[in-house]
Each structure stands twice: as structure tokens, then as C-alpha cells.
Amino acid sequence: MSSESPATDGPRSTAVESAKSFIAGGFGGLSAVLVGHPFDLTKTRLQTASPGVYTGALDVVKKTLARDGVAGMYRGMVPPLLGVTPIFAVSFWAYDASKSLILALTPQRTSQTLSISELAFAGFLSAVPTTLVTAPVERAKVILQTQGQGKDAGEKKYKGVVDVVRHLYREGGMKSIFRGTGATLARDGPGSAAYFAAYEVTKRMLTPAGSSPADLNLGAIIVAGGSAGVAMWALAIPPDVLKSRIQSAPEGTYSGLLDCARKTIAQDGVRALWKGFGPAMARAFPANAATFVS
């Protein structure tokens, strides 16, 4: 190979890898939604319900099945199904691009292998563009998931995702559709840092000496992907609780993330910031293993 080849193939190779990351992320996200949505619905209902509505995760499942049948466990799945491909595709692409950026900004480095802190930083950066897609999808999803619970049991205010978006736009324009963007970034920034770092570190730990992480078998990929999800949600639950409450509450309930945190703690105590932890953890391993396997 001539000395000019890297200069010619480098940008093309980077573009191909970015495209692969984009496509893989899209398929991975679709798998995560299909596997994990019932757990996500349970988590969101626990986070947003008034005190006393549910006694726990199993009570959410029991009451949802009694009222709406099995289909009720998949209420609100359309927004993430529509949004998951761009969300995960942008996330994986941005993570790949962030790793390349870190390497480009550190030309004097002695190793092309990123450190754990650099992997975490790349993960955090990936959440910034992804949030612009995630926030409105989450807003519509949370509204559909929480309608008809508590004192509004049986009431179906919205016919579907299009009806939700139309209502939100009439209510407050794009600002209403993007409500909770700051809380989404507060969740996904640290969460993505833990997610990608845990995935890469677990792969390295499972790679035999003299082998490459690219050669890991399916079982190892499942473990690494599941571990990534667990690491993310171990950090993400408190801001996720606040995000769910901000996005599901009537207009004017909260002035922002800090106001939501203050009112949540005052009304329900600090433990309220960890509502939904059980379902989130139950979902984390299988859903995120599916993300990386697909």
C-alpha cells in the first residue's frame, strides 16, 4: 500500500464507519423499544402518579391489564417507535464522531485507545444532539402513557400521537412540544457517559488476551450491552423522574427542573426521586442487550 492511501481512504473510511454507526443505532433502538416498553410504561406511571394510586410496579401492571388489557402495556409506544431510529442513530453516530473528535484534538497521544474518562466524555457529548430528537418524542410518549390513570381513570383525552402533537402546539407552540428538554439532557448526558463507557469497558474485560473486542461472541455482546443499560439507569432515575413529571404536568405546574425537584421533594420526600427504579432496572439489561445484538 502506498503512503498516499491512508490520506485517500481515511475520510471515506470514517464516513463509512459513521454510516454503519447510524444504521446500527437505528436497528438497535427499535429492538430496545419492542423489548422494553411495558417496563417503561410501568416506570413512568409510578413516577407521575399521585401518592397512593399504586402500591408498586406489580400493582401498576395489574391495574393496567385490568383496565386496558395487554394492549394497555404498550400504550404510548408509537412515539418511541417513530422516533427511536433517529434517536439511536444520532446517538451512535454522535458517539462515533465524538471519539474521532477526541483523537483529533489529542494528536500527541501515545495510544489510539481512548481512556475510560475519554469514552465517558464522548458518551456525554453524544447526548447533546440526540436530546433535540429525544425530548419531543419523550413528551408525546409520557403524555400517552399517563393518560387515564388515577382520578382520570378511563378517560382517553388523546386519540394518538398526532392528536397529542396537535394539542401541544395549540397549547404553547414548539415550546410546549419541547418541554422537558433540559431535564432530558440532565438525564441523558451523565446517562450516556455511563452507558457507552460501561459498554466499552465490559467488552475490554471480556476480551481474551491477544484478541480484539470486535471478535467477541454473542454472549459477551449481550453482557456488555446489558451492563451498559444498568450503568445508565443507575444514574438516570432522579432526572428521569423530574423529566416525566415536567412533561406530564399541566401547563404552569413547574417553572423548571429545579422547581420540579423542590416541589417533588417537599410533597413526596427524597425517595420520590427514585420512583420507577425497579422497572427501569428490570428493563435495562434485556432492552439494552437487544440494542447491541441487533
Side-chain angles (χ1 to χ4, degrees):
M1 183 179 289
S2 70
S3 60
E4 294 180 358
S5 295
T8 302
D9 297 340
R12 185 184 304 124
S13 177
T14 300
V16 169
E17 289 304 313
S18 293
K20 286 181 178 178
S21 294
F22 194 92
I23 295 169
F27 279 106
L30 192 63
S31 300
V33 171
L34 294 174
V35 172
H37 191 79
F39 297 97
D40 186 70
L41 179 136
T42 303
K43 168 186 70 68
T44 302
R45 290 195 163 194
L46 281 173
Q47 291 173 339
T48 57
S50 301
V53 173
Y54 303 115
T55 58
L58 292 179
D59 190 43
V60 173
V61 175
K62 183 180 70 173
K63 289 179 178 176
T64 300
L65 290 174
R67 185 167 57 241
D68 302 319
V70 175
M73 298 302 299
Y74 289 89
R75 178 175 285 183
M77 191 171 72
V78 172
L81 276 179
L82 294 175
V84 71
T85 297
I87 287 171
F88 274 77
V90 170
S91 177
F92 276 67
W93 166 80
Y95 175 61
D96 191 60
S98 296
K99 290 192 293 183
S100 298
L101 177 63
I102 291 171
L103 290 172
L105 293 176
T106 54
Q108 305 303 319
R109 62 190 304 124
T110 57
S111 172
Q112 293 300 297
T113 301
L114 297 181
S115 66
I116 295 175
S117 60
E118 287 173 328
L119 291 170
F121 184 57
F124 185 94
L125 290 179
S126 74
V128 177
T130 309
T131 296
L132 297 176
V133 185
T134 305
V137 171
E138 287 279 307
R139 173 84 154 120
K141 181 202 74 173
V142 166
I143 288 175
L144 287 171
Q145 285 180 328
T146 57
Q147 74 169 341
Q149 68 172 350
K151 64 181 180 180
D152 298 323
E155 180 183 348
K156 192 173 181 181
K157 185 176 180 180
Y158 304 104
K159 299 175 182 177
V161 61
V162 174
D163 192 34
V164 169
V165 174
R166 186 185 298 119
H167 176 86
L168 292 177
Y169 188 77
R170 285 201 305 264
E171 177 185 79
M174 295 303 293
K175 183 179 179 181
S176 180
I177 293 174
F178 279 83
R179 187 202 292 178
T181 298
T184 303
L185 183 58
R187 179 194 68 177
D188 290 353
S192 295
Y195 182 83
F196 284 110
Y199 177 67
E200 301 282 6
V201 169
T202 304
K203 283 204 306 180
R204 291 179 188 178
M205 291 173 60
L206 296 175
T207 301
S211 299
S212 167
D215 299 325
L216 286 174
N217 59 33
L218 180 61
I221 296 298
I222 288 173
V223 171
S227 299
V230 170
M232 173 181 175
W233 284 104
L235 291 179
I237 280 293
D240 186 61
V241 170
L242 301 179
K243 179 200 72 67
S244 295
R245 292 192 171 204
I246 288 171
Q247 292 183 322
S248 64
E251 184 73 27
T253 303
Y254 306 112
S255 62
L257 183 65
L258 293 180
D259 184 51
C260 181
R262 180 177 60 81
K263 289 178 178 176
T264 296
I265 293 172
Q267 178 179 336
D268 301 327
V270 175
R271 290 182 62 184
L273 296 177
W274 295 94
K275 282 187 175 182
F277 182 79
M281 282 301 179
R283 170 186 179 272
F285 196 97
N288 289 283
T291 298
F292 286 98
V293 168
S294 60

